[in-house]
Amino acid sequence: MSEQAKPEQILILEFTLKSLDFMRAGEASSEFKQRLKKLGFKPELVRRAAIAAYEAEMNVIIHARKGVMRFEIAPARLLIVVEDEGPGISDIEQAMQEGFTTASAAIRELGFGAGMGLPNIKRCADAMDIQSIPGQGTRLQIIINNE
Amino acid sequence: MNTVGVYYHSVRLDREKCKGCVNCIKKCPTEAIRVRGGKAEINEEKCIDCGECIRACPNQAKYVETDSLERLSGYRCTIALPPPSLFGHMRSCASPAQVLTALTSLGFDAVFEVAVGADVVSGEIRRLFQRGEIKGPLISSACPAVVRLIQVRFPELTGRIMPLSPPTEVAAHLARQEKMSELGLSAEDIGIFFLTPCAAKVTSVKAPVGGIPSNIDGVIGVHQIYPQLSRCVKKPDRPLLPIRASGSGMGWGISGGERLAVGIENYLTVDGIHNVISVLEELEMGHLGEIDFIEAQACTGGCVGGYLHALNSYVARVQLRKLARELEEKQMTVTEQFPRLAWLHGQLPRIRVQPRQIIHLDSDIKQAVAKMAEAEKAAKLLPGLDCGACGAPNCKALAEDIVLHKAQETDCIFVLRERIMDLSLHVYDLAKIRPPAMNQPGSEGDDAQ
């Protein structure tokens, strides 16, 4: 019987992100959120995961040249990995401070780049990790546990 | 029938008329419809009775179940509740007083404007905000399709629904109280009939969601009375009834009218169910922090856009707006009209809408994740054209149906065609094989020239 076969218990979604693509900005995290709701994750967890994903997605769109966003949805934990090619972050500790931003005035006028992205992600995530090489790019990993 | 089961639905299918075309499945905001056996099937759990499928159906196979006018005979006194939008849909020659009066010529003993209920609700919303008893962002509870959309698609936003009964219910309560004391009748002697522009309101009466039973006894579609009403409007046979609602109460019939009446500074107005969904998604993400009040209506243009109405909704909107402006100047306020009304002083009943939990793939999250991963694989084999010929609204939905054993891959005509081609190639290959007892082509004795 096919029922005996162990079904794959992880769902992987992948999206490519483009610099300053405001028309499609937020689509990846929106899709991620829809999937989580459909799967039956608790609203509070969906909200946290969706906000973290949105901030991470916007970071790539605002700051990087391009990037890939991967979601690994498992029943017990959600993993978001964002890898971009961009300027990188020279001082991660400074970037984690509320209000610190390197976004241009034009971007800020659009209502983005207020320096709340990374702190917001930290608030929503159970764990986060940033690896960055200035001038090359950044790899951000976010974990949200479903207890 | 749709009534069998947990949920009541006023949107019904006439199986005779349904041709199995796929127009409705693609318009449904909750993806509740599939075509099976050549007929549309509505998933009761997901359907919110918004009526988008009624609008989309080219064969008039979808309809709204309403009550018949014969039900009026079951009461000693009947009261019609006309919604504000009805006045916008009467030809410009008819004054609102003429419309009210014509309704009594139709067989109703009395009339009570829903717009008066809207005046009461506007006042209460304003008061609650001023006192800080409620905090935004709050979503209006006036459109029942939006309320049910939230229950089904945005369960975590149910707590953001304005905790007040909508104007229809408030008007029904006021109408009954007034007639009871005026005529000395008991509550059951009075039949309150709402004249509905849509299916959503029928369902809100037959299956209320806020935890309070409906005050309305029957629902008649405006389309059922238009022919007779327009005849009676032209030839009034009795003294004209006065109109009591204010202009801002009347304005509730148009998208944007509600927030004008409420007078909240930081508001957002959205109409059309798919636009409502996009706004609720923003709200869900916490992007609407500065907004206090969200006026959301499923029909484009607000209730004037209800599909049971007669005129073009944009024409009706202009007429209703003009009427509201005219009324604004001369009407008495609700407090002047009902000085002793307890409901005007903070006693309006509170509603509490609960989420409607829907199991999409599996109640066990492990199984659900496994099934969605499987559906993801299944979707990769589909063309991604979202043509609907399989009876599902899009390829993704078909993939999920396949995983849930509600459909099969070959329901997709493109997959089916490919399978047939593979099979024909295989058949062709087999046809080329000659058994050893037969002559091989080109060998001696082959009679081919």
Side-chain angles (χ1 to χ4, degrees):
Chain A
M1 288 288 285
S2 62
E3 309 256 323
Q4 299 295 336
K6 184 97 177 136
E8 202 181 341
Q9 303 240 320
I10 186 157
L11 172 69
I12 297 173
L13 305 171
E14 218 174 76
F15 299 85
T16 54
L17 308 174
K18 248 174 62 192
S19 169
L20 302 177
D21 185 5
F22 286 104
M23 233 171 82
R24 309 200 61 179
E27 274 184 14
S29 37
S30 171
E31 178 70 25
F32 175 54
K33 182 184 75 174
Q34 303 304 337
R35 299 299 187 106
L36 295 181
K37 280 167 78 175
K38 207 168 202 178
L39 287 167
F41 281 98
K42 284 188 207 76
E44 191 273 336
L45 182 108
V46 175
R47 195 184 51 80
R48 278 200 294 139
I51 292 171
Y54 176 80
E55 296 290 2
E57 183 180 359
M58 291 315 293
N59 273 350
V60 175
I61 285 164
I62 292 166
H63 300 287
R65 283 190 300 280
K66 60 179 181 177
V68 174
M69 191 162 193
R70 195 172 79 247
F71 299 99
E72 292 186 23
I73 303 170
R77 65 118 192 74
L78 309 173
L79 173 67
I80 306 169
V81 183
V82 193
E83 285 177 300
D84 70 46
E85 290 173 27
I89 304 168
S90 51
D91 186 341
I92 291 173
E93 214 170 291
Q94 189 182 34
M96 289 302 296
Q97 282 165 20
E98 286 192 11
F100 175 81
T101 182
T102 55
S104 69
I107 294 284
R108 273 179 283 142
E109 256 167 46
L110 283 171
F112 299 103
M116 295 304 291
L118 290 175
N120 236 344
I121 294 173
K122 195 178 178 193
R123 251 196 302 278
C124 293
D126 289 312
M128 77 184 277
D129 174 61
I130 307 177
Q131 307 286 330
S132 188
I133 303 170
Q136 283 187 31
T138 304
R139 183 181 194 275
L140 168 65
Q141 188 171 304
I142 302 164
I143 290 175
I144 290 158
N145 292 318
N146 184 26
E147 71 298 331
Chain B
M1 289 292 278
N2 294 8
T3 36
V4 183
V6 186
Y7 298 106
Y8 167 86
H9 288 296
S10 59
V11 172
R12 302 297 174 95
L13 177 77
D14 183 338
R15 286 185 65 86
E16 295 282 292
K17 286 186 183 166
C18 179
K19 288 187 177 166
C21 76
V22 295
N23 285 295
C24 61
I25 58 175
K26 309 195 76 82
K27 290 286 162 74
C28 176
T30 59
E31 294 188 349
I33 315 174
R34 297 290 184 276
V35 177
R36 293 287 178 267
K39 305 287 171 193
E41 264 177 25
I42 309 175
N43 178 321
E44 280 189 42
E45 223 186 347
K46 291 184 184 168
C47 173
I48 56 170
D49 287 316
C50 64
E52 283 299 302
C53 54
I54 297 177
R55 248 187 249 280
C57 181
N59 306 305
Q60 285 83 48
K62 295 277 177 66
Y63 66 96
V64 186
E65 195 196 52
T66 50
D67 292 308
S68 90
L69 281 159
E70 281 160 26
R71 284 211 35 218
L72 297 185
S73 60
Y75 299 91
R76 288 178 63 187
C77 173
T78 54
I79 309 173
L81 298 188
S85 56
L86 178 73
F87 298 93
H89 278 271
M90 299 311 295
R91 291 277 169 201
S92 46
C93 56
S95 75
Q98 274 175 304
V99 177
L100 287 183
T101 314
L103 284 170
T104 61
S105 308
L106 249 63
F108 294 100
D109 297 306
V111 197
F112 195 99
E113 300 143 64
V114 170
V116 174
D119 280 331
V120 176
V121 176
S122 309
E124 182 69 359
I125 294 175
R126 213 166 22 236
R127 201 183 64 88
L128 290 178
F129 268 117
Q130 276 163 5
R131 290 198 178 184
E133 281 182 43
I134 49 174
K135 258 189 75 187
L138 285 171
I139 309 154
S140 164
S141 65
C143 177
V146 169
V147 169
R148 285 190 296 269
L149 174 76
I150 295 171
Q151 284 186 294
V152 169
R153 275 193 62 165
F154 302 92
E156 64 277 38
L157 294 180
T158 46
R160 295 245 147 256
I161 297 171
M162 186 67 71
L164 298 175
S165 280
T168 37
E169 290 296 334
V170 174
H173 175 85
L174 294 177
R176 196 186 305 273
Q177 296 303 316
E178 193 177 54
K179 276 291 166 231
M180 278 166 67
S181 64
E182 191 186 309
L183 304 173
L185 293 172
S186 64
E188 316 80 73
D189 290 333
I190 297 168
I192 312 257
F193 289 84
F194 175 61
L195 307 177
T196 190
C198 64
K201 292 231 154 102
V202 180
T203 307
S204 74
V205 169
K206 311 276 178 187
V209 295
I212 301 176
S214 176
N215 291 305
I216 294 162
D217 300 297
V219 190
I220 312 269
V222 286
H223 64 303
Q224 289 166 273
I225 57 160
Y226 269 128
Q228 228 188 320
L229 186 62
S230 42
R231 261 200 310 278
C232 295
V233 163
K234 279 183 209 138
K235 288 184 281 205
D237 56 357
R238 55 197 75 191
L240 291 185
L241 291 168
I243 190 124
R244 299 202 285 184
S246 77
S248 39
M250 276 289 180
W252 276 58
I254 313 166
S255 168
E258 195 178 329
R259 66 96 191 158
L260 263 178
V262 170
I264 302 289
E265 204 174 315
N266 299 317
Y267 66 89
L268 185 153
T269 294
V270 57
D271 56 336
I273 194 131
H274 295 281
N275 300 329
V276 171
I277 290 171
S278 67
V279 165
L280 293 178
E281 268 165 12
E282 291 287 308
L283 178 63
E284 200 178 38
M285 291 292 281
H287 295 166
L288 301 179
E290 66 283 13
I291 301 290
D292 287 324
F293 182 66
I294 298 172
E295 177 187 345
Q297 282 164 311
C299 292
T300 307
C303 294
V304 283
Y307 36 83
L308 298 181
H309 275 311
L311 300 186
N312 174 291
S313 71
Y314 292 90
V315 174
R317 186 209 300 235
V318 172
Q319 292 187 173
L320 184 55
R321 190 172 286 150
K322 187 165 163 257
L323 171 65
R325 257 200 311 270
E326 283 163 11
L327 284 177
E328 202 47 57
E329 287 146 22
K330 47 193 176 204
Q331 285 308 110
M332 285 203 303
T333 66
V334 188
T335 345
E336 283 163 349
Q337 289 185 60
F338 304 93
R340 285 180 301 134
L341 188 68
W343 276 21
L344 292 181
H345 306 286
Q347 286 171 38
L348 211 58
R350 298 294 179 94
I351 58 163
R352 205 190 157 87
V353 180
Q354 302 293 340
R356 196 203 277 183
Q357 193 142 39
I358 289 186
I359 293 153
H360 289 280
L361 294 164
D362 203 296
S363 55
D364 173 49
I365 207 153
K366 283 188 190 138
Q367 289 300 321
V369 170
K371 283 177 182 171
M372 194 179 273
E374 217 182 304
E376 205 64 23
K377 274 190 214 154
K380 290 209 167 76
L381 303 171
L382 299 172
L385 295 174
D386 296 342
C387 69
C390 61
N394 50 59
C395 295
K396 217 159 101 180
L398 174 62
E400 285 173 10
D401 288 351
I402 292 170
V403 171
L404 295 172
H405 306 294
K406 289 177 179 169
Q408 40 196 350
E409 265 177 58
T410 46
D411 288 353
C412 170
I413 54 168
F414 298 92
V415 170
L416 182 65
R417 186 201 147 274
E418 231 157 73
R419 294 274 175 91
I420 292 170
M421 195 173 79
D422 289 348
L423 183 63
S424 357
L425 288 175
H426 188 58
V427 169
Y428 179 62
D429 283 343
L430 288 176
K432 284 191 292 191
I433 298 171
R434 291 188 170 212
M438 272 178 82
N439 267 340
Q440 297 301 308
S443 68
E444 208 180 307
D446 185 8
D447 46 13
Q449 298 237 307

